[in-house]
Amino acid sequence: HQGNGYFRKDTSTTHSQVKLLQSALTDLGYDTQGADGKYGNNTLAAVKKFQEANNLTADGLFGKNSLTANLTVTEYIQNLESYCNSGWKYGSGYNASKKLIDCAWYPYKARSDQGAHGCTTEYNGYLSEKGKISSYDDLKVGMEVFQQSSDDSTKKSHMGVYAGKVLLRGELKHAVYQSCSSHSNIATKYNDGVANDSGPNLTEMKAGRWKYWGWSKYVKHD
């Protein structure tokens, strides 16, 4: 299925895609007790176990979120990287004057349209773990990091994804994948030669600016 469709319990219909689902789940260790193409109780139980293991709602409905649940940290970073280093930010729909590729939309697209495309909503509703940053040295690659501009810790003003220590301008720096319309001139690794670029980029993390960390529900990590 593409879009918002999903499979649910149905023992009266035999479907070739359900048969593929049963085989895939069994190979991953979620035994469906056979692959007959019918979405019965055994398949339902296997889907729920798979969803629980991947921090998804364990409702037994197998749709887009379940299908894309196995996004790894490496895959997430590769998606972010591809958006930095490709024509995506300058392609169809990009509006340089309005900076449509904003901070939360950028990682949302890199998560295969999972989670939230608002940084406050992402932090409050779509993280499996989160906390306050005590030191950038404690961060792990793939963590989502957040800025906060008010005293209300539930509200976030900006977000990005931690990239580890990266050689920027000849020096190792804590780096973050981010996109922000307020940046009129940022030192970047990937700017594709565009002056004053504030599309998605890998940039230095300014000291003390990033306050909170979190793991997305849709990114698997050790």
Side-chain angles (χ1 to χ4, degrees):
H1 281 293
Q2 297 180 7
N4 295 318
Y6 54 83
F7 284 117
R8 65 194 310 167
K9 182 178 178 182
D10 179 5
T11 57
S12 63
T13 304
T14 301
H15 199 296
S16 61
Q17 295 298 309
V18 171
K19 190 172 183 178
L20 288 174
L21 167 62
Q22 291 168 325
S23 296
L25 284 170
T26 299
D27 288 344
L28 289 170
Y30 307 96
D31 193 358
T32 60
Q33 305 298 314
D36 59 2
K38 294 184 178 180
Y39 204 117
N41 287 330
N42 291 330
T43 301
L44 179 67
V47 168
K48 286 183 176 180
K49 288 180 180 178
F50 172 83
Q51 290 171 325
E52 288 174 356
N54 287 279
N55 297 311
L56 298 169
T57 301
D59 54 10
L61 304 178
F62 193 94
K64 182 176 68 173
N65 285 350
S66 297
L67 190 62
T68 55
N70 286 325
L71 192 70
T72 65
V73 168
T74 299
E75 290 168 334
Y76 192 22
I77 295 297
Q78 286 174 340
N79 288 347
L80 292 161
E81 184 82 11
S82 69
Y83 292 143
C84 274
N85 209 22
S86 72
W88 180 72
K89 56 189 168 180
Y90 312 114
S92 177
Y94 178 73
N95 185 323
S97 66
K98 294 184 179 179
K99 304 292 193 301
L100 294 181
I101 311 304
D102 66 7
C103 71
W105 189 266
Y106 168 43
Y108 170 74
K109 297 302 291 184
R111 292 190 303 269
S112 304
D113 294 357
Q114 298 177 107
H117 45 80
C119 55
T120 293
T121 305
E122 174 72 8
Y123 185 83
N124 289 332
Y126 292 92
L127 301 180
S128 59
E129 302 173 50
K130 58 187 175 183
K132 195 166 185 177
I133 296 173
S134 57
S135 169
Y136 290 167
D137 290 327
D138 296 334
L139 298 175
K140 295 181 180 180
V141 174
M143 281 180 168
E144 295 179 357
V145 289
F146 299 82
Q147 294 182 11
Q148 178 186 333
S149 58
S150 70
D151 292 333
D152 186 347
S153 63
T154 65
K155 294 182 180 179
K156 301 294 174 274
S157 58
H158 184 51
M159 72 172 288
V161 178
Y162 182 61
K165 278 196 167 183
V166 176
L167 191 65
L168 295 172
R169 303 185 305 285
E171 191 175 347
L172 279 175
K173 303 279 190 179
H174 288 287
V176 59
Y177 288 99
Q178 65 174 323
S179 179
C180 181
S181 60
S182 65
H183 292 165
S184 59
N185 186 12
I186 53 179
T188 63
K189 182 179 179 183
Y190 302 117
N191 61 16
D192 289 350
V194 177
N196 299 328
D197 172 35
S198 57
N201 285 293
L202 180 62
T203 73
E204 177 184 352
M205 292 177 73
K206 297 298 184 182
R209 187 170 294 177
W210 301 86
K211 304 292 188 183
Y212 291 87
W213 63 270
W215 281 113
S216 167
K217 287 182 178 180
Y218 304 104
V219 177
K220 292 177 70 65
H221 63 278
D222 295 332

